[in-house]
Every structure is written in C-alpha cells, then in structure tokens.
Amino acid sequence: MATVDKMPMLAEGHDKLTADLRRLKAERPLIVDAIEEARAHGDLSENAEYHAAKERQGQIEASISDIEDKLSRAQIIDPKELSGDKIVFGATVTLLDEDDKPIRYQIVGQTEADAKGGRISYNSPLGRALISRKVDDEIEVSVPAGDRFYVVSKIEFI
C-alpha cells in the first residue's frame, strides 16, 4: 500500500499555492465559456479555438489536481520555532565557498525554491548535502557546473 509523504513548506509557500489554486479555479468557468463559444462556430475537427480551449482546460485541471495534492500533504514549518546546531528544513545557512566568499541560502520546499533568490529545495543536491550538517562542516557537492566545496559558517532560524 502506498504511503502519503508529507510535503514540508513554509507558510508563505502554502499561501502562494492556495492563491494559485484560487486563481485556477476562477479561470475554470471562463474556459467552459470559451469552449461553448468555439463549439458554436461549427465543425470541431478544424476549430483551432475549440482545441486550444480544450487543451487549456486540461492544463488547468491538471494544475488544480497537482496543487490540491500538494496542499493536502503540506506540513507547514515555521523556521522561527526551530532551533539547534544542525541544518534542517527552514534553516538559513551561510556558506563559504572556495574563495571564502559568503553565500546564503534558506532550505525550503520544492515549490518555493528560487536559487537566485537565496532559496534552495531540501531535495536539491546542495540541499541534501546540507541537511544535518553543523557549523564548520565541509561539504562537497556535484552540480552540472562541476564539483563545489563549501564550509558551513552560520546556521540561523529566521
């Protein structure tokens, strides 16, 4: 029997998914109207508007289903309630690269990840390498650009 894995996320990630779900559900009736209007134009086999609307309807339904699944498995974590000396989901970590240049990341859920914004998924190669590490631990990560080496310099729960 399959198990339902919890999906950790921050409150703001949960709020964003909820807003996306509301927006998609509001678009549903508009797509139904577009399908009805395109259907009224006659021959469906050569009706590009109809096929485009049906395709969009399928995309919306798939997205709604996916978001509802994620929300049903959501485990909301507030980093401010965490503490300790190990890196866990929600922690903000300062790393030193090979040139002792500081890089700061927050460990977040898959739907919240934005590496350029300083947020990496706990499931990413770097995220997996960081989990359970402590200050002064050395980390080696293989990424598409090659191997990277880091030292954990600070762990914060903010």
Side-chain angles (χ1 to χ4, degrees):
M1 188 163 151
T3 60
V4 177
D5 294 328
K6 288 290 183 186
M7 179 173 261
M9 64 180 67
L10 302 177
E12 64 189 67
H14 187 272
D15 293 345
K16 183 182 178 304
L17 281 178
T18 303
D20 288 348
L21 182 63
R22 258 190 249 112
R23 181 184 51 76
L24 288 169
K25 285 187 172 182
E27 193 175 336
R28 267 179 171 165
L30 303 175
I31 293 297
V32 170
D33 291 346
I35 290 170
E36 289 303 317
E37 183 179 321
R39 192 178 272 156
H41 293 150
D43 185 14
L44 298 182
S45 66
E46 295 180 17
N47 189 330
E49 289 176 2
Y50 173 78
H51 293 290
K54 287 297 280 183
E55 185 174 325
R56 180 65 185 143
Q57 182 182 40
Q59 291 169 343
I60 288 173
E61 293 304 322
S63 294
I64 287 172
S65 178
D66 182 52
I67 292 171
E68 285 177 337
D69 173 60
K70 288 175 181 171
L71 289 174
S72 72
R73 297 184 297 128
Q75 178 183 6
I76 300 171
I77 294 175
D78 182 357
K80 294 178 186 122
E81 294 177 1
L82 304 173
S83 63
D85 62 348
K86 288 185 177 183
I87 299 171
V88 295
F89 181 93
T92 299
V93 182
T94 303
L95 307 172
L96 297 177
D97 67 8
E98 294 146 353
D99 301 322
D100 284 336
K101 180 181 151 207
I103 304 167
R104 189 170 162 167
Y105 290 115
Q106 182 176 28
I107 311 295
V108 297
Q110 294 169 330
T111 60
E112 305 163 288
D114 173 16
K116 289 181 180 165
R119 305 177 120 210
I120 58 170
S121 168
Y122 68 95
N123 229 5
S124 69
L126 181 56
R128 286 194 308 265
L130 288 172
I131 296 293
S132 296
R133 299 299 182 116
K134 296 180 178 185
V135 171
D136 294 329
D137 280 358
E138 295 180 5
I139 295 154
E140 178 181 354
V141 182
S142 294
V143 293
D147 290 346
R148 297 279 190 246
F149 298 91
Y150 300 101
V151 175
V152 178
S153 71
K154 190 187 217 178
I155 303 170
E156 302 171 278
F157 299 98
I158 51 177

